[in-house]
């Protein structure tokens, strides 16, 4: 049971009614809900909770040392005011994807979530007759944001039966709204399905989506809306119109501000920006003195105010004195017929210091890729190619670039 002396608790459950009910119960009771991935091993969950001083976790798992509470029999009540100051006002704690660094514990207030949800509902015209499929996990900001959006709009949160395919769920439950990452969208498209007539909006996020996949979806009539956002901003900051131009993440949503610095970094200012990063008993503010969040992403705004995300500052590396943005090469690769996904990482090179290596999923011939890329990119940006390593795909919604870099180095050393 979650008794009234507990001020924060871990939640480690598969997406489902039980997870939604427990989450909303914690929010109602004023208990900070720390959302943990079911894909993490038990020791990783224990470590994450231990760093935050969380002593209880609501889960059906049995591989943890943290005291486990049965979510089927728990209840929540208003806790006594026993929070230490870093946790005051913290409604949820979500971990970043950790795709290029150690995951960080992001603390959100209820106000953060609600403000983000209000701007999204207005832009998406979400109402009480709509039905949003819960297709993403609640430990990811794109999943938990669905709960808050539907709660304030009075829309239905639809949870599919276990084992039901995404395509079947979209049709069977009369879904009007759905959020997808690129892998999910590709799976739907590979079934050569046209969108159900009742589906009005498909929100695509969770990282850059290959333009080839987006074009395929748009050509098949799927009502695609691209977006830009992150855990720290409580979900999306921008949203495109239906069927956006290639590379566009849309315009800034109401209540948010966005600007590009001289070196191309995207800055965001919004009341939806999180309270900060939690680490033990400290809460680290992440905005500068003027309230701007330095995202670490590179981008540009066109004359119409649409955002184009160009990559990550911390992903860039130097090869023979030249700056290389992996995302530029990935974008070019994904424009080649047969390439479904691509991730580019640096590997050591005795002549140039570093050179790009690309992991590619699809049926493209590597020799053909070389010929095509030679027409599109300068020679120093042409990568070495490796097949897609499904075995080390990140437990988050994004590829783990650190693991991929380590794998590329091992593969290079073995040849």
């Amino acid at each position: 049971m979650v008794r009234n002396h507990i001020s924060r608790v871990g939640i480690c459950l598969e997406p489902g009614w039980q997870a939604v009910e427990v989450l909303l119960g914690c929010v109602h009771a004023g208990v900070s809900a720390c959302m943990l991935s079911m894909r993490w091993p038990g020791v990783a969950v224990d470590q994450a909770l231990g760093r935050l001083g969380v002593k209880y976790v609501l889960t059906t798992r049995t591989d943890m040392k943290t005291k486990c509470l049965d979510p089927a029999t728990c209840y929540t009540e208003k806790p006594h005011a026993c929070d230490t100051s870093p946790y005051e006002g913290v409604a949820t704690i979500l971990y970043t994807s950790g795709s290029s660094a150690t995951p960080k514990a992001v603390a959100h207030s209820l106000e953060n979530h609600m403000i983000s949800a209000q701007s999204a509902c207005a832009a998406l015209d979400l109402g009480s007759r709509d039905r949003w499929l819960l297709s993403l996990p609640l430990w990811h900001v794109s999943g938990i944001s669905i709960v808050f959006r539907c709660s304030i709009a009075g829309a239905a949160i639809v949870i599919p039966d276990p084992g039901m395919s995404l395509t079947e769920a979209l049709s069977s439950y009369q879904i009007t709204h759905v959020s997808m990452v690129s892998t999910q969208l590709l799976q739907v498209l590979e079934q050569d399905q046209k969108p159900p007539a009742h589906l009005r909006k498909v929100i695509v996020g969770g990282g850059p989506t290959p333009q080839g996949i987006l074009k395929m979806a748009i050509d098949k009539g799927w009502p695609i809306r691209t977006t830009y956002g992150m855990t720290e901003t409580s979900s999306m900051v921008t949203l495109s119109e239906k069927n956006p131009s290639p590379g566009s993440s849309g315009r800034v949503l109401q209540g948010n501000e966005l600007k590009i610095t001289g070196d191309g970094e995207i800055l965001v200012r919004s009341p939806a920006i999180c309270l900060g990063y939690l680490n033990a008993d400290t809460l680290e503010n992440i905005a500068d003195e003027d309230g701007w969040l330095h995202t670490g992403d590179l981008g540009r705004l066109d004359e119409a105010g649409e955002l184009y995300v160009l990559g990550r500052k911390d992903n860039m590396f130097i090869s023979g004195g030249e700056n290389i943005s992996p995302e530029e090469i990935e974008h070019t690769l994904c424009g080649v017929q047969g390439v479904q996904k691509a991730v580019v990482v640096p590997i050591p090179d005795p002549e140039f210091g570093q050179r790009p290596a690309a992991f590619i999923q699809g049926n493209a011939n590597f020799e053909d890729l070389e010929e095509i890329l030679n027409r599109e990119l300068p020679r120093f940006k042409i990568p070495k190619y490796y097949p897609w390593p499904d075995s080390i795909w990140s437990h988050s919604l994004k590829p783990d670039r650190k693991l991929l870099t380590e794998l590329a180095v091992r593969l290079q050393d073995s040849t």
Side-chain angles (χ1 to χ4, degrees), residues 22-313:
V22 168
L23 169 64
L24 292 178
C26 287
V27 170
H28 176 73
V31 175
S32 300
C34 182
M35 311 302 294
L36 284 307
S37 173
M38 284 288 285
R39 308 297 172 259
W40 287 5
V43 64
V45 176
D46 287 330
Q47 290 172 351
L49 293 173
R51 284 194 296 268
L52 299 177
V54 178
K55 298 179 180 179
Y56 303 91
V57 57
L58 292 159
T59 187
T60 55
R61 293 171 61 169
T62 59
D63 61 341
M64 303 174 197
K65 293 183 179 179
T66 306
K67 184 172 178 58
C68 297
L69 305 175
D70 185 355
T73 59
C74 78
Y75 65 88
T76 56
E77 298 175 356
K78 187 68 178 177
H80 295 307
C82 59
D83 278 329
T84 55
S85 58
Y87 291 87
E88 289 182 6
V90 175
T92 66
I93 303 167
L94 299 174
Y95 275 85
T96 58
S97 65
S99 58
S100 59
T102 302
K104 297 177 180 178
V106 180
H108 294 98
S109 67
L110 181 58
E111 182 183 17
N112 293 152
H113 286 300
M114 299 307 283
I115 287 174
S116 174
Q118 287 167 356
S119 65
C121 289
L124 295 168
D125 190 28
L126 187 68
S128 59
R129 296 184 178 181
D130 291 317
R131 303 167 64 82
W132 200 313
L133 184 69
L134 187 64
S135 54
L136 297 170
L138 296 183
W139 59 79
H140 191 278
V141 72
S142 297
I144 202 171
S145 63
I146 295 171
V147 175
F148 290 105
R149 291 169 192 164
C150 291
S151 295
I152 68 171
I157 303 170
V158 179
I159 299 173
D161 291 334
M164 178 177 282
S165 71
L166 184 56
T167 301
E168 186 180 358
L170 290 173
S171 298
S172 300
Y173 296 114
Q174 299 289 301
I175 300 300
T176 61
H177 294 65
V178 64
S179 300
M180 295 189 197
V181 293
S182 59
T183 51
Q184 292 173 314
L185 181 58
L186 179 60
Q187 289 169 4
V188 170
L189 295 176
E190 286 178 335
Q191 298 178 36
D192 200 29
Q193 293 286 332
K194 291 185 177 180
H198 44 75
L199 184 63
R200 296 196 290 117
K201 295 178 175 68
V202 177
I203 316 303
V204 182
T209 302
Q211 292 303 308
I213 295 178
L214 288 177
K215 184 178 185 303
M216 189 189 311
I218 291 171
D219 289 347
K220 289 179 178 291
W222 289 79
I224 299 295
R225 307 286 290 271
T226 52
T227 181
Y228 170 74
M230 60 194 68
T231 308
E232 290 86 343
T233 60
S234 308
S235 194
M236 57 190 186
V237 175
T238 70
L239 180 70
S240 75
E241 296 296 327
K242 181 180 176 181
N243 302 337
S245 58
S248 172
S249 294
R251 296 183 178 86
V252 180
L253 293 175
Q254 183 178 0
N256 299 282
E257 298 176 74
L258 188 148
K259 68 179 181 180
I260 309 295
T261 64
D263 63 355
E265 184 176 8
I266 301 171
L267 270 56
V268 175
R269 185 162 62 184
S270 168
I273 290 176
C274 68
L275 300 174
Y277 296 136
L278 278 174
N279 186 11
D281 287 332
T282 62
L283 181 60
E284 175 192 350
N285 180 36
I286 64 171
D288 65 22
E289 60 183 10
D290 294 319
W292 290 99
L293 170 64
H294 296 244
T295 66
D297 291 320
L298 299 171
R300 67 177 179 86
L301 290 168
D302 69 9
E303 294 180 354
E306 295 205 15
L307 175 67
Y308 292 77
V309 181
L310 305 178
R312 289 282 304 171
K313 288 179 67 175

Side-chain angles (χ1 to χ4, degrees), residues 301-376:
L301 290 168
D302 69 9
E303 294 180 354
E306 295 205 15
L307 175 67
Y308 292 77
V309 181
L310 305 178
R312 289 282 304 171
K313 288 179 67 175
D314 53 12
N315 285 343
M316 292 187 68
F317 61 92
I318 298 175
S319 179
E322 300 282 355
N323 287 334
I324 291 184
S325 171
E327 290 86 354
E328 178 192 4
I329 303 174
E330 291 164 7
H331 178 79
T332 304
L333 284 168
C334 289
V336 176
Q337 185 175 2
V339 175
Q340 297 173 350
K341 289 185 288 190
V343 176
V344 174
V345 296
I347 53 176
D349 185 87
E351 181 178 357
F352 300 104
Q354 291 177 304
R355 64 171 297 190
F359 289 96
I360 297 172
Q361 184 180 57
N363 56 9
N365 183 285
F366 286 174
E367 292 183 3
D368 293 341
L369 278 178
E370 184 90 11
E371 181 180 346
I372 293 170
L373 292 193
N374 274 321
R375 298 196 299 264
E376 300 285 335

